[in-house]
Amino acid sequence: MTSSNMYIFGYGSLQNINSIRNTLTEITHIDDPPFAVRVKNMRRGWYLPINKNNLITKPWTTLACVEEYGYSVSGVLIQITSECLRLLDERETDYVRKTIQHDQITSICDTELCTNSIVYYYGIDSESKQPPSLLTPILQSYLDTCLIGCIEIDAKLGNMHYEYTIEFLQTTHEWNSMYHWVNDRIFPRRPYEYVPYARIIDRLLHLYILS
């Protein structure tokens, strides 16, 4: 398997180009428009508490995917090298790297997956799921990172009504844990000063999650 045939499935913060480049500095090209796909028999949710043993950085809950029949997850395929995979393994130490079978993947853009490609993702086992709590809340700053990525994918795909972003919201589970949620934006009362698309993010969250 050559490195040109390897992909990582990004379904959370790895949908955001800036988040990708923070880790994968050697990537010089990211598909434009993005290689957007839908993966069946997988479920995304607020399932993974991290930093629980860190005495300085407070713990919080991040997104994770588990294998579960009958569900689907939207995301993007990012072409990577062996060195990229090594760097991602170092970044995603709270997850287990797994493979996705080709028959689980449906393209929702104009790009198709080569038959000799291998697709990885970082997930967890079903028995490891833990919902957000008072000590491990959902962070708005992380959610912003994910949603900024989704909104930019919508724009590059030519979607006029945030279809990709809405699907992300509707196929993410454990939103009922939003009462364990911390608005940790730099300026929570004026987020548009520092958060791109803050008004759009807030409106979509009100329409599809909080209402």
Side-chain angles (χ1 to χ4, degrees):
M1 179 66 60
T2 65
S3 61
S4 61
N5 292 327
M6 287 197 303
Y7 290 85
I8 195 74
F9 175 58
Y11 59 83
S13 61
L14 283 178
Q15 298 172 107
N16 185 307
I17 285 180
N18 289 329
S19 180
I20 296 168
R21 293 197 186 281
N22 282 342
T23 301
L24 306 182
T25 54
E26 74 168 62
I27 283 191
T28 58
H29 171 74
I30 296 176
D31 288 337
D32 191 4
F35 192 170
V37 299
R38 188 176 294 118
V39 178
K40 68 178 181 180
N41 298 331
M42 188 179 292
R43 181 171 178 167
R44 171 177 52 210
W46 298 103
Y47 294 146
L48 181 60
I50 61 174
N51 290 336
K52 293 181 73 173
N53 297 317
N54 191 318
L55 299 179
I56 300 173
T57 302
K58 292 184 177 180
W60 54 286
T61 296
T62 187
L63 291 172
C65 278
V66 297
E67 297 169 11
E68 192 161 341
Y69 182 80
Y71 291 88
S72 65
V73 175
S74 56
V76 290
L77 297 186
I78 305 154
Q79 199 165 24
I80 58 171
T81 64
S82 297
E83 176 62 12
C84 289
L85 189 62
R86 184 188 68 78
L87 292 171
L88 286 167
D89 283 347
E90 290 180 356
R91 164 176 162 159
E92 308 293 358
T93 54
D94 294 290
Y95 296 85
V96 178
R97 173 157 53 87
K98 305 183 179 189
T99 58
I100 303 174
Q101 301 304 310
H102 280 223
D103 61 3
Q104 292 180 256
I105 301 170
T106 301
S107 174
I108 53 176
C109 63
D110 294 331
T111 307
E112 295 296 334
L113 189 64
C114 295
T115 56
N116 63 339
S117 300
I118 186 167
V119 180
Y120 296 110
Y121 77 103
Y122 293 95
I124 61 173
D125 298 326
S126 293
E127 58 270 21
S128 300
K129 291 192 301 185
Q130 297 181 53
S133 68
L134 184 63
L135 294 178
T136 55
I138 297 169
L139 298 185
Q140 184 64 44
S141 59
Y142 172 78
L143 181 53
D144 284 339
T145 297
C146 298
L147 289 175
I148 288 167
C150 290
I151 290 168
E152 291 179 344
I153 290 168
D154 267 320
K156 291 176 180 178
L157 292 176
N159 295 337
M160 302 300 293
H161 303 289
Y162 307 110
E163 292 93 330
Y164 181 90
T165 306
I166 292 167
E167 182 171 348
F168 168 84
L169 294 172
Q170 292 179 330
T171 58
T172 297
H173 297 267
E174 289 294 341
W175 289 112
N176 58 329
S177 298
M178 280 294 277
Y179 58 88
H180 296 310
W181 166 75
V182 174
N183 188 349
D184 62 336
R185 287 169 168 169
I186 296 173
F187 291 118
R189 297 182 187 276
R190 293 186 296 113
Y192 42 83
E193 296 287 342
Y194 284 93
V195 180
Y197 316 112
R199 290 186 175 91
I200 298 170
I201 289 171
D202 289 358
R203 177 161 57 87
L204 293 175
L205 285 173
H206 275 283
L207 281 173
Y208 294 96
I209 303 302
L210 299 175
S211 61

